[in-house]
Amino acid sequence: MTQPTDIRRDDHRSLLLDLYSCAGGAAVGYARAGFRVHGCDRADRPNYPFRYHRGDALEYLARLITTGEIERYTAVHASPPCQATNTLTVGTNRSRGWGGTHVDLVAPTRELLDKTGLPYVIEQPNGQAEIRKDLTLCGEMFGLGVIRHRNFELGGWTMPQPLHPRHRGRVRGYRHGKFYDGPYVAAYGNGGGKPTVPELQAAMGITWTNVREELTEAIPPAYTHWIANQFLALEGSAAA
């Protein structure tokens, strides 16, 4: 494993709070654009490459608001657990009577984010999550080896939707017992022609964790790198 190498280390950059941070896929993208990043996740995340608080994200955010510490931050990114509404869960697990215990945290997360008064980003996969799809990004937009569509709700700011290029082919793997080849790997699950960990790392642009679960939960840093650059450009225009 290697740590991200293109992250500036000065203390004069804007500070971003990364909630439900997982191993830092989103965080690294923001850092590469120039943010300092603080993460929060209830699970132990030893591979997270920045300052990190282990605990419940909603409780932590509520405490930051109550104490006024939230004022240290310029913006917030949140990726609430999505198993209750994502396409794989709804289309497979729920249809077979599996699962049913996942909690949808989007609404309470948004409620607290609105209280911060800060611009924010809520990220979710395709599915039935109740977020505005202000922005949809895809790995093909950045020349990656995954499709990995992700939707983003932008709170307190906006940006244009970039052109969504046509996919170059299929996601490699087995479908109903038949193997399909293609230029993309499946960044979820295991078996059934799924990629190796090194293939996942290369396809998503993630080098600092080799834990499959963390890789399959992450979003490629290219997504938030692009979002952060758009945000900083708007912020610079407003200050001019």
Side-chain angles (χ1 to χ4, degrees):
M1 294 184 293
T2 59
Q3 292 292 324
T5 57
D6 54 347
I7 297 171
R8 286 170 274 171
R9 298 291 181 180
D10 64 90
D11 291 328
H12 304 290
R13 294 169 289 147
S14 297
L15 183 60
L16 180 131
L17 178 62
D18 177 26
L19 299 173
Y20 312 100
S21 59
C22 192
V28 168
Y30 286 110
R32 286 175 176 167
F35 279 98
R36 289 183 296 135
V37 182
H38 291 173
C40 176
D41 197 288
R42 69 187 309 162
D44 184 25
R45 299 295 185 184
N47 294 319
Y48 191 77
F50 309 108
R51 180 175 170 179
Y52 163 81
H53 171 82
R54 183 177 180 183
D56 182 271
L58 291 175
E59 292 177 2
Y60 185 57
L61 180 56
R63 190 176 81 201
L64 291 176
I65 294 170
T66 300
T67 62
E69 294 178 78
I70 194 64
E71 295 177 9
R72 301 169 56 201
Y73 295 92
T74 300
V76 186
H77 175 97
S79 296
C82 57
Q83 291 93 335
T85 56
N86 75 46
T87 301
L88 289 174
T89 300
V90 173
T92 302
N93 294 2
R94 192 169 298 171
S95 67
R96 299 189 181 188
W98 301 341
T101 61
H102 299 300
V103 178
D104 185 356
L105 297 179
V106 171
T109 299
R110 182 192 296 109
E111 182 179 355
L112 282 177
L113 290 174
D114 284 334
K115 290 182 179 179
T116 69
L118 297 175
Y120 62 79
V121 176
I122 300 176
E123 175 264 326
Q124 290 284 280
N126 282 338
Q128 299 173 3
E130 294 296 327
I131 69 166
R132 293 191 316 272
K133 296 180 180 179
D134 297 323
L135 180 69
T136 298
L137 298 180
C138 166
E140 182 60 27
M141 295 176 176
F142 306 99
L144 299 178
V146 290
I147 292 178
R148 185 133 279 206
H149 291 118
R150 286 298 182 268
N151 303 305
F152 301 85
E153 178 176 318
L154 309 178
W157 68 293
T158 186
M159 73 169 102
Q161 167 68 46
L163 179 67
H164 189 161
R166 184 176 180 177
H167 299 162
R168 290 172 286 124
R170 299 188 68 116
V171 175
R172 191 187 79 201
Y174 283 93
R175 303 291 184 277
H176 306 292
K178 182 178 179 181
F179 182 80
Y180 295 91
D181 202 359
Y184 311 104
V185 298
Y188 56 86
N190 202 352
K194 299 297 191 302
T196 64
V197 165
E199 285 178 319
L200 268 176
Q201 290 175 311
M204 296 182 67
I206 293 177
T207 59
W208 62 92
T209 178
N210 60 4
V211 178
R212 177 177 286 274
E213 179 188 5
E214 292 182 342
L215 288 163
T216 58
E217 289 180 354
I219 64 173
Y223 292 13
T224 47
H225 186 199
W226 189 85
I227 290 171
N229 281 331
Q230 300 300 307
F231 175 82
L232 292 171
L234 287 171
E235 192 178 50
S237 298

